[in-house]
Amino acid sequence: MMGHRLRLTLIATLAGISFAVPLRAEEAYDPWPGLVQDIFNNRPMNDGNDVIGIEMPYRAEDAAIVPVTLRTKLSPGDARRIRSITLVIDRNPAPMAAKFELGPDANVSEISTRVRVNNYTDVHAVAELSDGQLYVSKTYVKASGGCSAPAGKNAEEAQNHLGQMRYRQFAREDAPASRVREAQIMIGHPNNSGLQMDQVTQLYIPAFFINQLKLTQDGSPVLSMEGGISISEDPNLRFTYVSNGARRFRAEAQDTDGHVFRNEWDVEKPGT
């Protein structure tokens, strides 16, 4: 009996070792150096903690709609400006979630959106400044399965709302003394990742998402986004910018099927 128990204990121990080793190897693997090569052509990365901030929940409630906020941290006296911010979710199937180009005169200081997170992962924000240098900050998020999570709307409902846009503004304590505005753009779109399965046919739904978004005030660039499969269903951007006195705000979006969606609003009367 003792020999039988010993054999069982030994088998269990060896089984634990065989499963534990690959797990530790997976946890130890860091995809970031390869992503720096693939996405940024191995350009040098500087510490960006005083340049760009990234905020996400440490443990996400819903991996398919994880909030993320990017915030510029340059001091007012810094002569440089941020030209672009690239959001990279290291362990997602398509790690580059989005690249934001900031209008040269719009002084965008904060961008918030929602993303899918597929595995426990580091998330990097890389800012390119007007001096041509790259600056990086990162955070860590515990979430899994976001890229394959079923859509919140059925296909018919999603089609009925395809391309519908809303523009909102939010009151600020410093207004009207300041020209700083806080606004939000929302676009009806399934933003299918290509990894979601149709619950009826059991077939994968083809990738179909907003890949371009441009926002302007009376023709002057405010913010543009190059998006990927990691941007959540019904994309929305909330951001701060400085008004140039424009009376009209315009949005133009394009998806991977070539659909183009446009809308514009009176700045003083935002809405659908």
Side-chain angles (χ1 to χ4, degrees):
M1 180 66 70
M2 286 294 292
H4 179 65
R5 289 179 179 174
L6 182 61
R7 284 195 298 273
L8 289 177
T9 302
L10 182 60
I11 290 170
T13 302
L14 290 173
I17 292 172
S18 66
F19 285 109
V21 170
L23 181 60
R24 284 199 297 268
E26 171 64 22
E27 289 174 346
Y29 169 67
D30 182 6
W32 179 242
L35 296 174
V36 172
Q37 178 175 343
D38 295 342
I39 300 174
F40 304 100
N41 296 316
N42 254 349
R43 294 172 61 188
M45 292 281 169
N46 301 291
D47 183 348
N49 287 329
D50 294 328
V51 175
I52 182 71
I54 177 171
E55 297 175 11
M56 299 178 74
Y58 177 68
R59 187 180 297 276
E61 294 184 9
D62 187 338
I65 48 172
V66 183
V68 55
T69 296
L70 306 168
R71 184 174 289 111
T72 64
K73 299 173 73 174
L74 290 176
S75 63
D78 199 317
R80 302 170 299 172
R81 73 171 187 87
I82 295 179
R83 289 176 175 169
S84 69
I85 304 170
T86 303
L87 178 64
V88 181
I89 306 174
D90 293 18
R91 292 182 182 269
N92 269 15
M96 196 183 91
K99 182 176 182 179
F100 301 98
E101 299 279 353
L102 282 53
D105 301 316
N107 293 311
V108 173
S109 57
E110 187 173 305
I111 305 169
S112 297
T113 189
R114 303 176 305 181
V115 296
R116 299 175 170 123
V117 177
N118 213 50
N119 295 286
Y120 287 24
T121 185
D122 284 327
V123 182
H124 288 84
V126 179
E128 180 169 12
L129 268 59
S130 52
D131 62 5
Q133 298 294 308
L134 299 180
Y135 298 82
V136 61
S137 297
K138 74 173 182 179
T139 190
Y140 187 80
V141 178
K142 288 186 174 183
S144 60
C147 293
S148 57
K153 297 186 176 76
N154 61 42
E156 182 178 355
E157 184 181 4
Q159 185 63 37
N160 290 338
H161 291 87
L162 190 69
Q164 291 185 4
M165 293 185 182
R166 293 185 62 197
Y167 169 62
R168 298 175 60 194
Q169 286 192 61
F170 302 89
R172 293 182 59 90
E173 293 181 359
D174 52 0
S178 169
R179 293 186 296 131
V180 176
R181 296 182 182 271
E182 185 174 359
Q184 183 179 34
I185 290 287
M186 296 159 282
I187 308 172
H189 203 284
N191 254 42
N192 296 324
S193 68
L195 300 172
Q196 298 152 302
M197 185 176 289
D198 187 302
Q199 301 302 303
V200 176
T201 66
Q202 298 296 296
L203 298 174
Y204 284 102
I205 302 168
F208 176 49
F209 54 90
I210 296 289
N211 58 354
Q212 298 287 339
L213 174 64
K214 296 179 180 179
L215 308 176
T216 58
Q217 49 177 336
D218 278 357
S220 178
V222 173
L223 180 64
S224 66
M225 180 189 76
E226 177 186 345
I229 68 169
S230 297
I231 299 297
S232 300
E233 179 181 4
D234 293 333
N236 80 75
L237 290 181
R238 184 163 172 164
F239 52 96
T240 59
Y241 72 101
V242 173
S243 171
N244 63 0
R247 300 186 62 181
R248 305 291 291 176
F249 197 93
R250 179 179 174 85
E252 180 176 309
Q254 180 174 310
D255 67 22
T256 50
D257 276 10
H259 302 118
V260 177
F261 313 107
R262 300 184 180 93
N263 208 337
E264 62 178 66
W265 303 267
D266 185 324
V267 171
E268 301 305 326
K269 300 177 182 178
T272 302

